[in-house]
Amino acid sequence: MAAAAVSESWPELELAERERRRELLLTGPGLEERVRAAGGQLPPRLFTLPLLHYLEVSGCGSLRAPGPGLAQGLPQLHSLVLRRNALGPGLSPELGPLPALRVLDLSGNALEALPPGQGLGPAEPPGLPQLQSLNLSGNRLRELPADLARCAPRLQSLNLTGNCLDSFPAELFRPGALPLLSELAAADNCLRELSPDIAHLASLKTLDLSNNQLSEIPAELADCPKLKEINFRGNKLRDKRLEKMIVPLGRKEAKAKELVRQLQLEAEEQRKQKKRQSVSGLHRYLHLLDGNENYPCLVDADGDVISFPPITNSEKTKVKKTTSDLFLEVTSATSLQICKDVMDALILKMAEMKKYTLENKEEGSLSDTEADAVSGQLPDPTTNPSAGKDGPSLLVVEQVRVVDLEGSLKVVYPSKADLATAPPHVTVVR
């Protein structure tokens, strides 16, 4: 009778078994009482559904452990979501091995430690060999398991936000330990130091260590080839900072401070030679950086610095005779219409100059074809509208949509109302 009562109290399991479902969600007000009656664990019958690919049990304050049999009973599980429960202080028994698991979400629980036998799974052989995303945020973890990288060697995203960590295990950053890890979030912890070995995470693209107790940023982070987003806000950093390199226009590669120092010396020498206080060229903007310890820069998708405003741009984005695509930006703090008017004038003037240049080439100057040949890149007449000698000279403007931070559309440019005042010798084709 007792077994029948337990079976009847879990109709979701009966339905999933009868319909051979691959996904199961257990949540809602009635869940807590049933889990409490099952001893704070999931019912054993749940682990007799071997076809499940997705299992979520969330928002249950009486769930303290998944219960025995999960690894053996759900071998095809791809996603396991056990968030906002009361799991902790460890996981007994440990979750793995789960050979097909790719997503594991244990956020918002009461986990304090994940030691061997009470953690994610064995390290040899890997208990979670296909795991890509691990979310441990919002727990009480004081340390990470030293064998995490061996347990989940294909991890791509690791979220540790909102725990009590004061350091990372050294094994996490050993060379080749997590070759695919691209996102690491450990904001709102108690981290006091960051090992330079973090640079061994060769695929790292996003690093969030905000609101910790870090005093230094390892300079080695600058050597991470794919790192694009770094957040160290809320730390008490000393003067040791992450510096990126730039190849300034017409100069050799240098760090920002080295470049500024060199330009300051050049400016002083220029004043002495010309016997006057003012300077010309890019030297005239150096004073705008006075008193600043950090300098602004623009970084492209490859992580290369392409602009160091207000000083210089990069050789990487230098406009050459072979340049065929340009990104133009006009900003204003007062009027969107001013931006559009300036962009109109700029585009129309470029069209004028392009037409004039093609019709009045100077003798001895390189033709477009010759210039491309010098660079080792011959143009394709089918993709280059102005390649034809007697054909029209085309300047193609790609329409863009500008949105605000919430994703709401602000403006489309060019619209039908833009580029309306073209000169007679310029035709706008929409």
Side-chain angles (χ1 to χ4, degrees):
M1 292 295 293
V6 171
S7 176
E8 289 174 1
S9 65
W10 295 93
E12 307 97 321
L13 306 186
E14 295 180 3
L15 184 63
E17 183 177 20
R18 186 168 60 250
E19 297 184 353
R20 300 175 63 83
R21 291 191 175 182
R22 297 177 182 270
E23 298 183 1
L24 180 60
L25 170 63
L26 297 176
T27 188
L31 178 63
E32 191 155 341
E33 184 177 340
R34 289 183 290 169
V35 169
R36 188 181 299 111
Q41 299 180 344
L42 297 174
R45 185 172 181 182
L46 174 59
F47 308 135
T48 63
L49 303 173
L51 298 180
L52 280 184
H53 285 187
Y54 178 94
L55 173 62
E56 177 175 350
V57 184
S58 59
C60 182
S62 58
L63 182 62
R64 299 190 300 275
L70 188 150
Q72 295 77 13
L74 304 178
Q76 298 187 52
L77 205 59
H78 288 182
S79 299
L80 177 59
V81 179
L82 300 175
R83 60 188 171 207
R84 295 186 291 108
N85 298 302
L87 300 177
L91 294 172
S92 183
E94 62 185 359
L95 285 180
L98 289 167
L101 196 67
R102 290 170 171 77
V103 176
L104 177 57
D105 187 346
L106 300 174
S107 61
N109 283 282
L111 296 170
E112 296 179 8
L114 297 169
Q118 298 183 39
L120 303 177
E124 298 293 341
L128 304 173
Q130 299 299 323
L131 190 67
Q132 299 175 5
S133 174
L134 174 59
N135 189 345
L136 293 169
S137 64
N139 281 280
R140 305 169 188 170
L141 291 170
R142 301 188 195 93
E143 61 181 6
L144 289 178
D147 59 2
L148 175 60
R150 288 186 293 148
C151 176
R154 298 184 64 81
L155 202 59
Q156 298 178 22
S157 174
L158 177 58
N159 190 344
L160 305 167
T161 300
N163 280 282
C164 305
L165 302 171
D166 59 10
S167 64
F168 292 109
E171 293 83 354
L172 200 67
F173 299 148
R174 64 181 175 82
L178 290 173
L180 304 178
L181 190 70
S182 61
E183 298 179 15
L184 175 58
D188 301 307
N189 277 275
C190 305
L191 296 170
R192 298 180 180 276
E193 60 179 358
L194 186 60
S195 169
D197 290 339
I198 192 174
H200 290 145
L201 299 176
S203 297
L204 193 63
K205 295 180 180 179
T206 303
L207 177 62
D208 185 359
L209 298 179
S210 56
N211 299 322
N212 279 280
Q213 300 174 24
L214 298 169
S215 58
E216 292 184 352
I217 302 175
E220 289 79 1
L221 271 179
D223 299 326
C224 289
K226 298 183 179 180
L227 192 59
K228 299 177 184 177
E229 299 179 27
I230 308 176
N231 188 353
F232 282 101
R233 295 188 187 94
N235 289 279
K236 297 182 179 179
L237 299 173
R238 294 203 294 265
D239 198 38
K240 187 179 180 182
R241 288 181 172 82
L242 179 66
E243 283 194 83
K244 283 186 168 288
M245 306 289 284
I246 182 174
V247 182
L249 287 170
R251 296 174 182 264
K252 295 182 179 180
E253 185 179 53
K255 291 183 178 180
K257 289 187 177 180
E258 295 172 356
L259 177 61
V260 170
R261 192 177 304 114
Q262 180 183 351
L263 292 173
Q264 288 172 337
L265 293 174
E266 291 177 6
E268 187 60 32
E269 184 64 27
Q270 191 179 104
R271 289 190 189 96
K272 290 180 180 178
Q273 290 180 357
K274 296 187 176 181
K275 296 181 181 181
R276 61 183 184 185
Q277 290 300 312
S278 61
V279 292
S280 60
L282 53 83
H283 302 90
R284 74 178 72 176
Y285 302 112
L286 286 172
H287 70 280
L288 297 175
L289 300 177
D290 290 348
N292 292 308
E293 296 181 349
N294 293 321
Y295 301 143
C297 68
L298 297 179
V299 181
D300 66 9
D302 297 325
D304 296 327
V305 177
I306 58 174
S307 182
F308 175 20
I311 303 303
T312 185
N313 289 317
S314 167
E315 278 284 331
K316 183 175 182 179
T317 54
K318 181 179 180 180
V319 177
K320 306 171 184 176
K321 283 192 174 184
T322 54
T323 300
S324 59
D325 297 281
L326 291 175
F327 175 77
L328 304 178
E329 180 184 14
V330 177
T331 59
S332 170
T334 58
S335 170
L336 174 60
Q337 190 58 47
I338 289 177
C339 294
K340 298 179 78 171
D341 292 344
V342 171
M343 187 65 84
D344 280 1
L346 181 58
I347 290 174
L348 292 172
K349 190 64 177 177
M350 289 176 65
E352 249 186 291
M353 293 177 65
K354 181 178 177 64
K355 179 179 176 65
Y356 178 83
T357 302
L358 290 173
E359 292 176 352
N360 300 276
K361 288 184 178 178
E362 297 179 8
E363 276 188 43
S365 67
L366 286 178
S367 67
D368 291 344
T369 304
E370 290 168 335
D372 286 337
V374 169
S375 69
Q377 192 175 24
L378 288 172
D380 182 355
T382 62
T383 59
N384 186 353
S386 59
K389 183 177 180 181
D390 300 319
S393 169
L394 298 182
L395 180 66
V396 180
V397 180
E398 183 176 341
Q399 189 181 63
V400 296
R401 295 164 59 88
V402 180
V403 299
D404 60 18
L405 294 176
E406 285 72 40
S408 300
L409 181 66
K410 299 294 290 183
V411 66
V412 174
Y413 185 90
S415 66
K416 292 182 178 179
D418 299 316
L419 300 171
T421 57
H425 52 281
V426 174
T427 302
V428 177
V429 180
R430 302 184 188 276

